[in-house]
Amino acid sequence: MKRPCAVIGVGQTRYAAKRQDQSFTGLVREAALRALDDAGLQFADIDAVVIGKAPDFFEGIMMPEHHLASALGAANKPMIRVHTAGSVGGSTALYAAHLIAAGVHERVLCVAFEVQSCSNAMWALSPVYPFQPPVVAGAGGFFAPLIQAYINRSKAPQDVGWRVVMKDRRNAAKNPFAHLQGAPTYEQMQSAQMLWDPINYLETCPSSDGACALVLSSEKAAAKAPSPPAFVQAMAQRSEPIFFPGRDAVSPQAGKDCAAALYRQAQIKDPRAELDMAEIYVPFSWFEPMWLENLGFAEVDQGWRMVLDGSTDFGGCLPVNVSGGVLSSNPIGASGMIRFAEAALQVKGQAGAHQVPKARRALGHAYGGGSQFFAMWIVGDTPMAG
Amino acid sequence: MRPVALVGFSHSELQPESPLDEVELTQQVCSSLRDKLGLKQQDIDLVVSGSCDFLSGRPFVFISALDGLGAVPPIDESHVEMDGAFALYEAWVRLQSGEIDCALVYAFGRSSQANLNRLLGLQSDPHWGAPLGLDEQAIAGLQASAAGLLGAGLERLPEADGAAAVLLAAGDRARQLCPRPAWIRAIDHRIDRSELGQRNLGQLPALERSAEAVSLSSHQVEYAELHAVFTHQRQMLKTTLGLGDELPTNQGKTSAFDAFMVSGLMHLGEAAEAVMQGRVKRSLGHASAGPALQQNLLCVFGDSP
């Protein structure tokens, strides 16, 4: 019953602190049109539209899909709105992939976006709960203690986070869509202002405006696509509560379970050896080594060594975030889909200056909430056998 | 398609201001449904939910709802910022893949925390519609007028807080869980264009297409649950779907209230219950969303797959 699903179109906008040249409607449409163009299709060829974004407060428009239906050619078609916190871009792509895999549709457009210049993400992500003291200032306020716990238990040297940033920003220089251009020096990393100890200003993702879109299709429809498709070889999502006794919030069980389900589907035993690259959701520098461990690329407390020995560099054995990652562009609702899209671009051989040579299999990863929602896929240049 | 059925339905009391918060409402409906079916959370392959951040005035309300579900160990889970009826659709899609056999769907909404009339105005377009101060009443008035149904004035259901949950299961799993599963014989949803000014508000073309897609006229439904907050909207739905006045509709408890984010799922649950309880062989469940019935979902239930 489950049939192969292919990525046949990828579209991204340029990411920037303020895209004042476009309305938010125009921005979303820009990504969608580019994805359709890449797939050699038009809105009329699309069976359904799936749209995702993080909290509606960011733009102050409740359920903006009702307004976006016409701009995305969705009139008279099914339109779905996904919201799974920071993982939403990934979850949105997975929903679209399930529509194809289940045989419900032939071609589905999925789009994810955020226009963060409409609001202040720092305070939008500092919710005040009734009867609870407001202790968290922004996402960094929540994640800083987790990072400190990781540093304490792994005994990683202080400059691991700085080196992640320097690498991602070097990579971003090869990606014309990236928001932050220009890599900081070691000295600049060292002297950057502290925001949420141990996270300094340069170790934090930017707030971006932008959108990303994918066209997914059946294998039959993919055969007519103008460029080589990327096939979805595995997909999984897992969630767990934000607090419960005994929870390991540094390396959450939901992330481990999600990766295990993924590797099982893709018949992968050694992810580090069998994947050619990975796009991992790293909004704060230290999450690269933390997720390398959670995803099984490194042993517990050893992920930071892959950063220091250059394994995750552009020419390393497992290039991570060659697009520049979330540390270089972060329209929150889209950031997960950008990871999925960049993994697909690599497999399609369309990543331009940041193309990893001979990338045949790649991981796209997204997470959200308090490190509790996970969405992942593996794309490859062939459908899975069997 | 793979045969999938609704095998259980549970809902909270619908009341103007619930003393329960989102977590407690979720806990109540999900645990009562699991108990009814003799299931533990670990027996359920997938969870999909629907809710709206704007009602509570804070981001990610669905995060804390997980506390009410008991998602330890971790679960395969997703969330739509839509009425629970659309979460049911996602569960149905996932069940089609054949990889999972049952899915829990829930939705909660506490509109008592918000000014719904004003909030629903924020759904319209931010460039031309919202700045005019269009609220839900104004949009409903425009539609009633376009449909020639303004005569008696606007009549709206009272708002209510609440939550609901249903369980979907495929094939033999459905037969194990329920003596008379309500099989989903057809399901479809579509959205109309965005701009109020570019729609003929007196007609619902996307719903017409959905009715064709589910071959509504061929199913000979004996009962219908229609999701409409205003009286004139219910009339429009009946006309568009070609449902005669002799067809019993909306006899369930849901129809006395507007439980925002929940009512659509409840109408599907009530339509399915008519089949599960053996009252009818075929029923129609309907859910709507968006300004002026922009988005609609149809689900035909039957006593056989």
Side-chain angles (χ1 to χ4, degrees):
Chain A
M1 264 172 289
K2 194 179 172 191
R3 42 176 212 161
C5 169
V7 182
I8 60 168
V10 178
Q12 296 186 65
T13 67
R14 183 173 53 79
Y15 307 113
K18 281 186 186 176
R19 278 291 306 268
Q20 284 170 316
D21 58 314
Q22 280 280 28
S23 66
F24 97 100
T25 319
L27 201 59
V28 176
R29 188 175 161 90
E30 185 178 297
L33 286 172
R34 284 180 181 168
L36 287 170
D37 196 42
D38 188 31
L41 299 174
Q42 297 181 324
F43 282 122
D45 302 312
I46 296 297
D47 301 324
V49 179
V50 187
I51 187 160
K53 69 178 301 299
D56 294 353
F57 296 116
F58 283 145
E59 292 84 9
I61 304 161
M62 188 171 89
M63 303 174 178
E65 63 278 8
H66 293 295
H67 162 60
L68 291 168
S70 291
L72 292 173
N76 293 315
K77 295 173 189 171
M79 188 171 196
I80 291 143
R81 161 69 195 289
V82 181
H83 178 16
T84 60
S87 55
V88 65
S91 310
T92 305
L94 292 185
Y95 193 134
H98 280 299
L99 284 167
I100 302 292
V104 176
H105 295 305
E106 283 299 298
R107 297 178 196 87
V108 175
L109 171 69
C110 59
V111 193
F113 76 100
E114 209 70 72
V115 187
Q116 289 191 229
S117 64
C118 289
S119 64
N120 182 326
M122 161 85 181
W123 296 111
L125 296 176
S126 307
V128 177
Y129 294 91
F131 313 113
Q132 286 181 23
V135 291
V136 171
F142 183 88
F143 291 119
L146 307 189
I147 289 172
Q148 189 60 58
Y150 174 74
I151 294 171
N152 292 352
R153 77 190 200 185
S154 69
K155 302 190 171 53
Q158 189 184 16
D159 64 351
V160 170
W162 303 344
R163 289 184 186 277
V164 171
V165 178
M166 290 162 66
K167 165 185 72 80
D168 281 7
R169 298 277 295 277
R170 271 198 309 274
N171 290 340
K174 296 180 191 158
N175 177 2
F177 297 118
H179 174 173
L180 299 181
Q181 298 283 351
T185 62
Y186 191 89
E187 290 67 33
Q188 283 170 320
M189 290 308 307
Q190 215 168 4
S191 58
Q193 188 189 351
M194 190 57 73
L195 280 189
W196 300 277
D197 197 352
I199 309 170
N200 75 30
Y201 180 75
L202 292 173
E203 289 176 286
T204 306
C205 55
S207 277
S208 314
D209 290 356
C212 178
L214 298 170
V215 178
L216 305 188
S217 80
S218 66
E219 193 175 10
K220 195 174 144 208
K224 296 181 200 145
S227 57
F231 289 94
V232 181
Q233 297 186 341
M235 49 181 165
Q237 54 196 28
R238 289 291 183 277
S239 308
E240 70 183 32
I242 192 164
F243 302 120
F244 60 88
R247 178 173 191 236
D248 182 353
V250 173
S251 188
Q253 190 61 41
K256 290 182 198 167
D257 289 1
C258 194
L262 204 68
Y263 300 149
R264 201 162 50 237
Q265 285 172 46
Q267 297 164 25
I268 285 176
K269 290 193 172 59
D270 180 354
R272 186 165 163 174
E274 294 176 65
L275 288 166
D276 299 315
M277 64 88 63
E279 281 283 335
I280 302 175
Y281 201 110
V282 178
F284 302 101
S285 59
W286 283 91
F287 271 90
E288 178 170 307
M290 287 160 69
W291 291 145
L292 287 172
E293 295 172 23
N294 191 248
L295 287 163
F297 291 120
E299 297 296 320
V300 176
D301 295 340
Q302 304 299 315
W304 57 271
R305 293 183 196 275
M306 286 181 73
V307 175
L308 293 190
D309 71 15
S311 295
T312 60
D313 282 359
F314 187 76
C317 68
L318 182 81
V320 171
N321 295 337
V322 295
S323 66
V326 180
L327 285 170
S328 303
S329 313
N330 184 38
I332 296 184
S335 288
M337 189 176 287
I338 298 168
R339 310 279 72 71
F340 280 44
E342 286 287 347
L345 280 176
Q346 290 288 339
V347 169
K348 285 162 70 59
Q350 291 177 286
H354 61 285
Q355 176 71 46
V356 173
K358 295 181 195 145
R360 298 190 57 205
R361 241 178 171 192
L363 169 77
H365 164 277
Y367 87 98
S371 293
Q372 60 183 134
F373 299 112
F374 293 86
M376 307 176 192
W377 78 8
I378 288 171
V379 282
D381 61 355
T382 54
M384 284 294 291
Chain B
M1 302 312 281
R2 188 184 190 204
V4 168
L6 197 157
V7 297
F9 169 45
S10 175
H11 65 87
S12 71
E13 192 183 340
L14 299 184
Q15 48 190 329
E17 192 169 349
S18 173
L20 304 180
D21 68 12
E22 292 86 348
V23 185
E24 293 166 321
L25 282 167
T26 300
Q27 198 271 336
Q28 188 190 67
V29 295
C30 292
S31 60
S32 80
L33 180 63
R34 285 182 306 229
D35 291 350
K36 214 186 304 188
L37 293 164
L39 294 173
K40 295 193 202 67
Q41 183 56 43
Q42 287 92 316
D43 301 326
I44 293 166
D45 303 325
L46 171 73
V47 177
V48 191
S49 62
S51 69
C52 171
D53 280 351
F54 257 77
L55 285 187
S56 307
R58 57 188 159 90
F60 319 126
V61 181
F62 55 90
I63 287 184
S64 49
L66 277 187
D67 291 343
L69 195 65
V72 183
I75 55 173
D76 187 345
E77 189 257 358
S78 190
H79 174 265
V80 290
E81 193 85 348
M82 305 175 86
D83 185 289
F86 295 88
L88 179 149
Y89 183 82
E90 178 170 0
W92 176 82
V93 170
R94 289 286 309 275
L95 283 158
Q96 291 305 320
S97 72
E99 293 180 322
I100 59 167
D101 291 324
C102 67
L104 173 69
V105 178
Y106 70 91
F108 58 86
R110 293 184 70 223
S111 51
S112 63
Q113 301 175 105
N115 180 335
L116 204 52
N117 185 46
R118 279 193 58 202
L119 265 195
L120 291 170
L122 295 177
Q123 281 186 329
S124 48
D125 89 85
H127 309 297
W128 314 108
L132 287 175
L134 280 178
D135 57 18
E136 189 204 22
Q137 292 259 345
I139 295 168
L142 288 172
Q143 184 161 44
S145 170
L149 296 167
L150 192 54
L154 292 177
E155 202 178 67
R156 193 199 193 281
L157 294 176
E159 292 171 23
D161 293 352
V166 305
L167 196 92
L168 296 191
D172 291 340
R173 188 86 175 105
R175 291 181 193 96
Q176 285 165 9
L177 289 165
C178 179
R180 296 175 68 98
W183 298 97
I184 296 176
R185 296 184 60 91
I187 185 165
D188 191 80
H189 68 91
R190 280 156 207 270
I191 194 164
D192 267 317
R193 335 178 29 113
S194 312
E195 309 80 2
L196 292 175
Q198 291 183 28
R199 285 169 62 187
N200 175 351
L201 291 176
Q203 291 177 353
L204 303 169
L207 179 61
E208 280 172 33
R209 291 204 189 198
S210 279
E212 282 166 31
V214 301
S215 311
L216 183 60
S217 53
S218 73
H219 292 285
Q220 292 166 327
V221 296
E222 301 153 64
Y223 179 68
E225 279 276 344
L226 304 177
H227 179 198
V229 172
F230 291 91
T231 309
H232 68 273
Q233 291 180 333
R234 199 183 289 183
Q235 190 53 50
M236 286 181 70
L237 292 172
K238 279 186 174 181
T239 308
T240 307
L241 297 172
L243 305 178
D245 283 335
E246 68 286 354
L247 183 80
T249 51
N250 290 51
Q251 292 172 347
K253 287 172 234 151
T254 314
S255 302
F257 294 99
D258 165 35
F260 185 58
M261 304 311 287
V262 182
S263 279
L265 180 63
M266 285 190 67
H267 284 295
L268 299 192
E270 301 261 19
E273 261 192 349
V275 173
M276 287 191 283
Q277 293 169 356
R279 285 184 277 136
V280 298
K281 285 195 165 68
R282 297 269 198 284
S283 67
L284 171 69
H286 162 264
S288 60
L293 297 175
Q294 186 190 1
Q295 195 169 22
N296 293 276
L297 180 147
L298 293 177
C299 184
V300 179
F301 295 101
D303 63 350
S304 60

